[in-house]
Amino acid sequence: VIYLDNAATSWPKPPEVARAMGHFLDEVGANPGRSAHRLSIAAGRIVDDAREVLAQLLNAPDPLRIVFGANGTEAINLALRGLLRTGDHVVTSGIEHNAVMRPLRALERVGVSITVVPCDPEGRLAVADVEAALLPTTKLIAITHASNVMGTLTPVSEIGALARRHDLLLLVDAAATAGCHPIDVTHDAIDLLAFTGHKALHGPMGTGGLVIGDRVSIGQLAPLKFGGTGSHSDSEEQPTFLPDAYESGTPNAVGLAGLDAGVRWVMQQGLGALRARLVATTQRLSDGLRMIPGVTVYGPPRAEERCSALSFNINGLAPSEVGLQLDDAHGILARVGLHCAPGAHRTLGTFPDGTVRFAPGPFLSAEDIERALAAVAAVAREARS
Ligand SMILES: Cc1ncc(COP(=O)(O)O)c(C=O)c1O
């Protein structure tokens, strides 16, 4: 098969990831930060290592300001539900994933107000429109770094500067970009950055986290969960230091061992080299798809403006039918439908049926790309006949 669903989760993983997880299960195995024995210390060291390597990759102010959790969704929930109170106003974009929109809609019911800034039909967000949406009660700008539907990148750095000028906080959903596009939390003035481990960071499912910038205090950000941390066990109150304030319960240490290996692999390849390879792959896919009669490709035509998620449709066929034919007849694995981002599809005009999404990863060969294009051409030809 040719796997083109890396925006849902990356696969295959670099072999180092399974090796690190196997090593953890076979040789380490203990609960990190809980017991003082050598294996618990070794487990703790692996978790700390993952924090350190991520802090380097994302240019976070301090590894201890990275809080691990189950996935990107949990990190976004911690940021939004931890920060926002009745009467606060949030500005967000029209292309957000439901990981952002659903917590925001739930917060609306307790008196948080939301402005959704529309994007252009290719998913571009204008900084001036974000600025025009600000109110005296605005506390936070919450935006995705890239659309998981049509791949369009948002101007995070300019929005970071805007947030600083207006003394607001900025939350960036980097689920689609962490590990395949440069992110600089410090330089781009990002106060909260949610990442997921199982996509371009090449870790396993069940990993993710939130980078908490140094303008966000623990007093400001309420924990999502409370419980044992292995620290300050004499107290029945939640610790008020990082990362323990937000990391209650036994962590997914085996997953974090895999994430550590995935991030190290990304750094070894070089983010610049990975990004350049993905830009070239995405450009070839996008250009090739645009040349097939009856195919509509969405989002910016220049791959530099996007991450690798690429949406298209074939005239006269529902995306679900295209996905089925690509899988059954050609072994091409894509994702179809709304990709948990209905706003992005309203922006494109593809709601409610959605699109077919190709999301290449770094292990895709030139031959795989040509085979995928030939398969789409065959499906489109059959639809025309
Ligand atoms: C843009 C975006 N945000 C958030 C998420 C949620 O991440 P996770 O699946 O790790 O919860 C996803 C995953 O599909 C995504 O694409």
Side-chain angles (χ1 to χ4, degrees):
V1 296
I2 295 177
Y3 184 79
L4 282 168
D5 200 14
N6 287 275
T9 198
S10 60
W11 188 80
K13 307 290 183 190
E16 291 89 330
V17 173
R19 272 207 294 277
M21 295 174 76
H23 168 76
F24 187 92
L25 288 171
D26 293 340
E27 313 284 338
V28 184
N31 202 327
R34 299 302 195 263
S35 319
H37 59 71
R38 68 189 77 181
L39 289 183
S40 175
I41 291 167
R45 212 167 275 141
I46 289 170
V47 173
D48 289 345
D49 239 45
R51 249 187 261 283
E52 271 162 34
V53 78
L54 271 162
Q56 261 182 59
L57 183 76
L58 304 171
N59 197 21
D62 181 345
L64 296 178
R65 301 193 74 92
I66 296 182
V67 172
F68 288 127
N71 45 44
T73 302
E74 187 176 300
I76 294 165
N77 270 268
L78 168 58
L80 294 175
R81 293 168 60 197
L83 196 67
L84 296 169
R85 308 278 176 271
T86 303
D88 289 340
H89 173 248
V90 192
V91 175
T92 190
S93 86
I95 56 168
E96 298 301 318
H97 191 277
N98 273 341
V100 170
M101 290 316 297
R102 286 182 174 173
L104 284 180
R105 293 300 176 205
L107 283 162
E108 227 174 6
R109 289 196 284 279
V110 296
V112 171
S113 63
I114 302 163
T115 300
V116 179
V117 178
C119 296
D120 81 6
E122 292 188 327
R124 294 187 194 87
L125 178 65
V127 180
D129 292 349
V130 175
E131 187 161 25
L134 301 180
L135 300 175
T137 50
T138 308
K139 186 180 214 172
L140 178 75
I141 301 173
I143 49 156
T144 187
H145 192 188
S147 163
N148 64 308
V149 173
M150 74 294 254
T152 318
L153 289 158
T154 53
V156 159
S157 173
E158 290 91 324
I159 292 176
L162 173 80
R164 286 289 157 102
R165 275 203 308 282
H166 290 269
D167 199 23
L168 306 170
L169 295 174
L170 170 63
L171 163 67
V172 173
D173 169 7
T177 53
C180 60
H181 196 274
I183 294 172
D184 189 323
V185 169
T186 305
H187 179 262
D188 289 343
I190 298 169
D191 298 298
L192 295 155
L193 182 110
F195 63 88
T196 189
H198 65 93
K199 300 192 194 210
L201 292 171
H202 292 285
M205 295 179 199
T207 58
L210 186 67
V211 183
I212 301 173
D214 44 22
R215 292 202 314 155
V216 179
S217 68
I218 292 185
Q220 249 177 317
L221 188 72
L224 270 188
K225 17 176 216 187
F226 297 78
T229 55
S231 55
H232 288 199
S233 297
D234 56 328
S235 169
E236 291 181 351
E237 298 295 330
Q238 190 70 10
T240 52
F241 57 89
L242 284 159
D244 296 31
Y246 307 105
E247 284 188 354
S248 293
T250 297
N252 178 9
V254 63
L256 293 174
L259 177 60
D260 182 42
V263 177
R264 282 180 192 284
W265 179 86
V266 166
M267 293 183 79
Q268 226 165 38
Q269 301 292 309
L271 198 54
L274 282 174
R275 167 81 184 141
R277 208 183 314 158
L278 267 188
V279 165
T281 307
T282 310
Q283 191 69 62
R284 173 65 196 125
L285 270 175
S286 164
D287 292 347
L289 287 170
R290 278 171 213 270
M291 285 170 61
I292 301 171
V295 171
T296 306
V297 182
Y298 302 96
R302 283 182 56 251
E304 282 84 1
E305 275 191 77
R306 58 193 310 153
C307 71
S308 65
L310 188 67
S311 263
F312 67 95
N313 270 323
I314 296 179
N315 284 352
L317 282 183
S320 53
E321 179 57 30
V322 176
L324 208 61
Q325 289 193 32
L326 287 174
D327 186 356
D328 281 356
H330 304 276
I332 309 286
L333 310 185
R335 180 164 170 195
V336 299
L338 293 174
H339 314 96
C340 298
H345 285 280
R346 288 198 172 92
T347 302
L348 292 180
T350 51
F351 187 86
D353 289 343
T355 55
V356 184
R357 183 183 71 186
F358 277 179
F363 299 108
L364 199 71
S365 69
E367 192 194 329
D368 292 337
I369 298 170
E370 299 313 316
R371 270 188 53 202
L373 289 172
V376 176
V379 175
R381 207 165 33 245
E382 206 163 299
R384 288 196 305 275
S385 63

